[in-house]
Every structure is written in C-alpha cells, then in structure tokens.
Amino acid sequence: GVIFYNRVSENRYREVCIFADGQVDRSPCGTGVSGLVALLWHRGVISESQSVVVESILGGSFEGVACSETTFGEYKAIIPEISGCAGIVGKNEWFVDPNDYLNGG
C-alpha cells in the first residue's frame, strides 16, 4: 500500500492509506502510524517519549508515541506505541487443506 500524509499542526498529521486494489483505509492505519512515528523520529521532528496524533480522512485518529530508542543491527531505531479506537467490520474463517504442500506457510 501507499500512505499519503501532511502536517496539520505541530504534532498533528492527516493521512490516507491506499491498499490492495485501490481500497482506502477508513482508519489512520496503525502500521502506517508506526512508520510515520519512526520517520518523524529519524528526521528529528520528534524525540523519544514525544507523541503525534494522526487523523484519517474520515476523522478517526490514532496517537503514536516514540516510546524508546533501540538498535536494529547497526542502525538506530525506535519502538513505537499506537493507541486509538477501531471497530470490527467483518469476520473471516481460514482453514488449511492437509493435502496442500504449502500448508505450513
């Protein structure tokens, strides 16, 4: 997918996530907010323990916090924490065919 975002105010952003066959995520997208927090931290826009609010195009919002700095191999990294509210919009059932040669993944 692709996420477009813009800064609304000091620690507030607005974004839209386009995924799969052009569908639009109705929420701010938790994975995308995690990525945005990491990007903002990397660019020096926010520091450890700072938060941002990310709003979807429909008005829902998630808060992302740059919780703690760490490393990933030789690279500096951040562990983000995301909070917000989302509703259940569907239910799906998955099953594995025991004869499928790829049934383990």
Side-chain angles (χ1 to χ4, degrees):
V2 175
I3 297 175
F4 299 96
Y5 72 93
N6 71 312
R7 191 174 188 175
V8 176
S9 61
E10 185 176 347
N11 285 347
R12 191 168 195 89
Y13 293 79
R14 191 166 168 102
E15 60 112 79
V16 60
C17 175
I18 314 288
F19 64 96
D21 293 321
Q23 289 94 338
V24 175
D25 197 337
R26 67 186 204 144
S27 74
C29 178
T31 304
V33 174
S34 294
L36 181 58
V37 167
L39 178 66
L40 296 174
W41 171 81
H42 175 75
R43 290 182 175 171
V45 176
I46 63 172
S47 58
E48 186 177 0
S49 301
Q50 274 192 292
S51 68
V52 294
V53 174
V54 181
E55 187 178 297
S56 76
I57 60 171
L58 297 179
S61 62
F62 288 171
E63 179 180 26
V65 180
C67 284
S68 60
E69 294 183 16
T70 187
T71 57
F72 184 75
E74 63 185 78
Y75 301 100
K76 291 196 281 183
I78 195 76
I79 296 175
E81 181 177 285
I82 309 304
S83 60
C85 182
I88 297 172
V89 297
K91 182 179 175 184
N92 200 350
E93 182 178 349
W94 294 87
F95 60 91
V96 176
D97 180 349
N99 297 317
D100 183 349
Y101 73 99
L102 295 175
N103 69 8

